[in-house]
Amino acid sequence: MPLQDLMPKVLPRFVTFLLPEERTGIRILLPNAAALEGFQVKEALLRRHFRSGLRCASFLAGTLLSGALAFAQSQAASSPGQPIPGTQGVSPFAGSTPTAAVPGVLPLSLQNAIERGLKQNLGALLSNSDIKAARGQRWQELSALLPQATMDPYISDSKVNLAEFGFTSLPGVNVPAAVGSFSYFDARLNVSQSLFDWKLINNARASKQSLKAAEYSYKDARDLVVLAVGYTYLQGIADEARIATAQAQVNTAKALYDQAEDQVKAGTSPSIDALRAKVELQTRQQQLIQAKNNFAIQKLTIGRVIGLAPGQEFELTDKSPYKAFEGMGVEDAVKRAQASRADYQAALADMHAAEFGRRAAVAGYFPSLSFNADYGTAGSHPSTSTSVFDVRGTLSIPIFQGNSVHAAILQADARLEESRERLDNLRAQIDADARTALLNIQSAAEQVEVARSNIDLAEETLRQSEDRFRAGVTDTVEVVQSQEAVASAHEQYISSLYNYNFAKISLARALGMAEEGVKDFFKGN
């Protein structure tokens, strides 16, 4: 079936694609099949994605390398729990544990929002819990190497049925049915110690590396919290700026409509001019309503990410002004990222843990030596007990264990190979993240400058169009077109400014210094 016939049957009006695993939260709305063909999408590839039920369109990833930055160019409404760029889709980083409500309206700066997020964001809290679990596992592995001391005193009074043990009769001997009662007493201190067990030693070393990986993962989680809070906060600033822009457009359209009405009543303009102006006014009013709704929903998202109480009123005090970025070389950025990224250090620790895990598996072939001793009193009764002790050294030599050691080695090899591959992939990803962030900053900075110039030009064009309309030289078509150009110029400026500031946060995250980087990149905000 041709693509033009396939699309209307699948989605009548719009087609929504999500990037792989919803990692960026970017939605691209394509109005029809013709627009899809502009992306040069092959019909066979499109059908395969639809048949598999996947919502993501990985074939657009190359076109949308900038990821989250393109999201701001869309005026689609944000929603609570939305995917956070760089945080693996809809994740714990989009949630939090709420704090107590604060009376009145809470002023909220970007730095204050980040501080709240670091304390209350669910992703950071869960990562901190992982450290506690890894520390517990570490102690569990160490306990096998530490001395074990126990006491289990007991006293027993018994009577034995001899028939139970097969003594029913003996020639010439009268066998009683039961013997007893008689008593036992034993109270000893038992001590055991592993003197040498290469498997236990390497398991303990692996647990130490796993603990380091959990600690690095927690630091990385804090960087992701900064990224998540920065994304939602800057998006809120952009949505708030769109309200102001939409309100200004409503005011301009209202003035044009009033003027067109007056000219129609005076007989100097046709009634279609007033109708056209009214349509423009109502269109701008609809955009204002949508902008206010988008901002209100985005505030809910901000509150969920940073852990504000449900229903907490707050205002965004930072307005995301433009501040030039001090240049940074690509090679320097990549080198700093590989040295500082906590996720890279965590992956490196995971690989070391896997190496020790393999050594522990191989150690299943080796003998082990242990020591056991006990000392105490024993006898038929506590009053008649005497001192007793037992000292024992045990050498355990594995001979045949049904290939269980071989199976453990195969599993350890697989884990080690997987950890190495992930580390290599992450090393390349860090390089790409740093380079991409720098490219996005440079591109967004240039877009901000162009957008500023476009605003000035569009507003000057609008003023001239309004003057021409007042003079009766033109009709409202030219004025409406100029108004649309002004609205588009403001939207481009808001989007490019958001892209620029979020690109700086992305660079801080790419360098593995999100907490410090945001403070440095947004000084004075």
Side-chain angles (χ1 to χ4, degrees):
M1 181 183 295
L3 181 63
Q4 296 89 331
D5 297 334
L6 175 65
M7 294 307 300
K9 293 185 178 182
V10 178
L11 295 175
R13 299 185 61 186
F14 293 99
V15 179
T16 302
F17 291 102
L18 300 182
L19 286 180
E21 301 180 16
E22 299 184 344
R23 289 181 183 172
T24 60
I26 304 171
R27 293 186 177 182
I28 302 172
L29 301 181
L30 305 179
N32 49 46
L36 282 175
E37 291 176 345
F39 285 89
Q40 299 180 352
V41 181
K42 295 182 180 180
E43 293 182 25
L45 183 59
L46 181 61
R47 290 195 184 97
R48 186 166 69 250
H49 279 270
F50 279 135
R51 285 196 301 266
S52 64
L54 297 176
R55 295 189 301 160
C56 62
S58 58
F59 52 89
L60 289 179
T63 308
L64 302 171
L65 185 61
S66 58
L69 302 180
F71 180 80
Q73 298 177 359
S74 170
Q75 296 189 35
S78 305
S79 59
Q82 64 187 2
I84 305 298
T87 61
Q88 294 77 50
V90 180
S91 69
F93 296 97
S96 62
T97 57
T99 57
V102 177
V105 179
L106 176 68
L108 190 67
S109 66
L110 176 60
Q111 291 294 343
N112 183 247
I114 290 175
E115 291 171 1
R116 287 177 173 270
L118 291 173
K119 294 178 181 178
Q120 304 300 135
N121 188 272
L122 185 59
L125 295 177
L126 294 180
S127 183
N128 189 44
S129 298
D130 291 340
I131 294 180
K132 297 178 181 179
R135 187 172 291 118
Q137 181 65 30
R138 163 80 169 150
W139 277 109
Q140 186 174 3
E141 298 295 341
L142 283 175
S143 67
L145 296 174
L146 298 176
Q148 310 288 320
T150 62
M151 284 193 68
D152 49 356
Y154 70 91
I155 184 169
S156 172
D157 188 65
S158 303
K159 186 175 183 179
V160 179
N161 188 326
L162 293 180
E164 179 183 356
F165 298 97
F167 296 101
T168 56
S169 63
L170 291 175
V173 178
N174 183 20
V175 178
V179 178
S181 63
F182 46 87
S183 61
Y184 299 97
F185 171 74
D186 196 299
R188 307 190 194 194
L189 174 65
N190 303 291
V191 178
S192 63
Q193 170 68 56
S194 173
L195 298 179
F196 177 80
D197 192 319
W198 193 237
K199 182 174 183 179
L200 296 180
I201 292 173
N202 282 285
N203 281 337
R205 292 175 175 177
S207 66
K208 180 180 179 181
Q209 294 298 321
S210 297
L211 176 58
K212 289 177 61 177
E215 292 171 343
Y216 281 122
S217 295
Y218 174 67
K219 185 179 183 304
D220 183 62
R222 291 177 66 88
D223 282 353
L224 293 179
V225 169
V226 173
L227 182 70
V229 174
Y231 166 74
T232 54
Y233 191 97
L234 293 176
Q235 184 64 52
I237 293 174
D239 288 345
E240 189 175 22
R242 289 187 176 98
I243 292 178
T245 299
Q247 184 62 63
Q249 295 300 318
V250 169
N251 296 339
T252 301
K254 181 65 168 58
L256 174 64
Y257 172 67
D258 292 340
Q259 185 177 0
E261 279 282 290
D262 293 340
Q263 291 185 359
V264 169
K265 292 178 181 179
T268 58
S269 294
S271 59
I272 192 173
D273 280 347
L275 292 175
R276 190 180 296 117
K278 187 173 183 179
V279 170
E280 177 68 11
L281 172 60
Q282 293 181 344
T283 299
R284 298 303 171 187
Q285 288 173 338
Q286 288 179 333
Q287 292 176 351
L288 177 60
I289 294 172
Q290 184 62 55
K292 290 181 178 179
N293 185 66
N294 289 353
F295 179 56
I297 294 178
Q298 185 62 25
K299 289 181 70 175
L300 294 178
T301 303
I302 295 173
R304 288 289 298 120
V305 170
I306 66 176
L308 293 181
Q312 174 69 57
E313 293 292 333
F314 66 93
E315 62 177 354
L316 307 180
T317 58
D318 289 341
K319 302 306 176 185
S320 188
Y322 178 81
K323 179 183 176 182
F325 174 73
E326 298 178 2
M328 178 184 297
V330 174
E331 298 303 326
D332 180 50
V334 172
K335 189 177 299 184
R336 290 175 61 182
Q338 291 182 343
S340 304
R341 281 278 287 263
D343 55 347
Y344 181 79
Q345 300 300 324
L348 191 62
D350 276 335
M351 186 189 72
H352 292 327
E355 291 174 344
F356 285 120
R358 188 188 185 282
R359 294 181 186 178
V362 174
Y365 289 125
F366 303 159
S368 62
L369 180 62
S370 61
F371 167 81
N372 297 273
D374 61 64
Y375 177 81
T377 62
S380 60
H381 191 271
S383 61
T384 59
S385 61
T386 59
S387 298
V388 294
F389 68 88
D390 181 65
V391 179
R392 182 185 313 162
T394 303
L395 177 64
S396 299
I397 303 175
I399 298 176
F400 179 73
Q401 299 180 354
N403 277 335
S404 62
V405 176
H406 178 64
I409 293 175
L410 290 178
Q411 293 175 350
D413 283 337
R415 287 193 294 268
L416 179 57
E417 183 179 358
E418 180 181 352
S419 64
R420 287 173 175 171
E421 291 171 349
R422 288 181 175 178
L423 184 64
D424 291 339
N425 173 71
L426 185 57
R427 185 183 296 112
Q429 184 61 49
I430 290 173
D431 183 283
D433 289 346
R435 295 176 185 273
T436 300
L438 288 174
L439 289 173
N440 285 335
I441 289 178
Q442 180 181 358
S443 173
E446 295 174 356
Q447 291 178 18
V448 169
E449 296 299 326
V450 174
R452 282 176 172 174
S453 176
N454 280 345
I455 288 177
D456 295 337
L457 295 175
E459 289 180 345
E460 178 60 28
T461 301
L462 177 60
R463 283 193 293 270
Q464 294 185 14
S465 297
E466 290 174 340
D467 292 341
R468 287 164 55 83
F469 178 69
R470 294 190 191 96
V473 178
T474 186
D475 56 16
T476 54
V477 173
E478 180 179 326
V479 182
V480 169
Q481 290 175 344
S482 299
Q483 287 178 329
E484 293 175 349
V486 170
S488 176
H490 278 282
E491 171 59 29
Q492 291 174 0
Y493 177 74
I494 293 172
S495 297
S496 59
L497 185 59
Y498 163 79
N499 290 350
Y500 175 76
N501 286 301
F502 184 70
K504 291 198 293 184
I505 295 181
S506 299
L507 177 62
R509 154 57 181 162
L511 297 179
M513 43 171 284
E515 294 183 57
E516 303 82 1
V518 169
K519 294 179 181 179
D520 184 54
F521 294 158
F522 293 89
K523 287 180 179 179
N525 282 20

